[in-house]
Amino acid sequence: MAALPPVLYHYFSTPLPYARTLALQEKLHQIQLSLRRTSSHKDILLLLQHRPVYTAGRRQTEDDVQSERSRLTNIGADFVTTARGGQLTYHGPGQIVGYPLLDLGRTSPALGIRDYICKMQKMMQLHLMEAHGVPHIPSDNTGVFVDPTTKIASIGVQVRHRLTTHGFAMNATKEPLEWFNRIVACGLADVKAGCIESAAGKEIDVKDVAYGLVHTFGQVYGRHMEKLDSENAAESWEAILSLEEEASSAGAWLKAPLS
């Protein structure tokens, strides 16, 4: 069997607006779909931080989230309803978000959705232990927990035509925690958000976490990782640069929720 092509990765240095990042994922998904039977078809991993935003998953109806939308936008965050799995959660600076855009049909046998999610969870657990000396504990809930009531990372994926979108989020610094305190994240009323910084007892550089996750992603999924650029994915690169330029000109965001 021929070796799988590398996964092309890109880290955005500026926090991105959520809705525009959602549109980028959709554009890249369409590129992948149109090229999947050619040698130009690429698997991609996007790593980034978002500007402050609360997102609802497909398990929630508009009636469920209407009052939350009003309350949360009033404290200075965006609010977006998405097609990913899961329920209400938060994304923002200090948290690394990963969007793997992979073709699950490329492997032989094809990688099932459950195995794909299990590998994602294992990847984050492994990074926590190897890079930061932070062990996880088993949980009946999806995500990564450092104790029975402290969740440090979440997973919410979407798969269409065996192509993945959305992905995972891991709290690196303490900055996201106050935002999480304003909601019941992922429908877990007895669970609070944690972060690597608190669990490891040291200052954390978000960029270091991002590149550490690139390494562990390749290790767990058995893929070579290669930086995405204009030569190996020209059309995707153009869309990525456009969003980076937009993010750079978007101005500041709140550092913590308003009282």
Side-chain angles (χ1 to χ4, degrees):
M1 179 179 152
L4 292 174
V7 175
L8 306 180
Y9 68 90
H10 182 75
Y11 172 66
F12 291 84
S13 58
T14 303
L16 305 179
Y18 188 88
R20 286 287 293 112
T21 312
L22 204 60
L24 173 65
Q25 282 193 79
E26 186 60 30
K27 181 177 180 63
L28 298 182
H29 172 82
Q30 293 302 322
I31 292 171
Q32 290 176 317
L33 195 58
S34 67
L35 296 176
R36 78 183 313 176
R37 300 192 186 281
T38 75
S39 60
S40 299
H41 174 36
K42 311 295 184 182
D43 287 327
I44 294 171
L45 172 62
L46 303 178
L47 290 155
L48 54 110
Q49 300 171 79
H50 278 300
R51 296 171 68 86
V53 60
Y54 292 97
T55 69
R58 61 175 176 263
R59 291 174 58 187
Q60 298 164 276
T61 66
E62 184 58 32
D63 287 343
D64 291 334
V65 300
Q66 188 172 9
S67 61
E68 288 289 73
R69 181 190 301 273
S70 175
R71 178 177 72 88
L72 296 171
T73 53
N74 281 340
I75 66 171
D78 292 332
F79 192 103
V80 179
T81 301
T82 77
R84 61 160 172 81
Q87 300 186 51
L88 186 66
T89 193
Y90 169 79
H91 299 304
Q95 177 195 75
I96 281 293
V97 176
Y99 293 134
L101 309 176
L102 307 183
D103 186 344
L104 297 185
R106 269 191 151 147
T107 57
S108 181
L111 186 63
I113 297 173
R114 178 172 292 183
D115 287 340
Y116 168 66
I117 292 172
C118 285
K119 284 179 180 290
M120 188 176 291
Q121 186 160 300
K122 180 182 177 182
M123 178 267 299
M124 291 189 287
Q125 292 167 348
L126 191 61
H127 172 78
L128 277 176
M129 192 66 223
E130 290 188 342
H132 307 288
V134 176
H136 74 282
I137 66 159
S139 175
D140 292 334
N141 297 302
T142 302
V144 180
F145 289 73
V146 293
D147 65 48
T149 60
T150 306
K151 186 177 182 182
I152 207 166
S154 301
I155 295 171
V157 306
Q158 183 182 28
V159 181
R160 292 168 291 161
H161 310 291
R162 300 203 58 76
L163 297 172
T164 69
T165 52
H166 296 277
F168 61 88
M170 177 175 281
N171 298 327
T173 73
K174 296 175 183 177
E175 187 171 352
L177 303 189
E178 184 58 36
W179 295 92
F180 270 108
N181 288 341
R182 302 304 180 98
I183 62 171
V184 175
C186 305
L188 303 175
D190 57 345
V191 170
K192 67 182 185 299
C195 66
I196 300 173
E197 202 164 65
S198 295
K202 63 180 182 181
E203 288 190 8
I204 294 295
D205 186 295
V206 176
K207 185 176 180 180
D208 288 345
V209 175
Y211 284 106
L213 287 169
V214 169
H215 169 76
T216 314
F217 189 94
Q219 183 180 350
V220 171
Y221 284 92
R223 301 290 293 273
H224 176 66
M225 308 299 290
E226 180 180 314
K227 275 191 175 183
L228 190 153
D229 58 33
S230 59
E231 294 186 2
N232 56 26
E235 192 171 355
S236 299
W237 181 246
E238 184 178 331
I240 284 169
L241 285 186
S242 177
L243 181 52
E244 285 200 316
E245 290 170 2
E246 181 178 330
S248 295
S249 62
W253 57 87
L254 288 176
K255 297 300 182 182
L258 295 173
S259 300

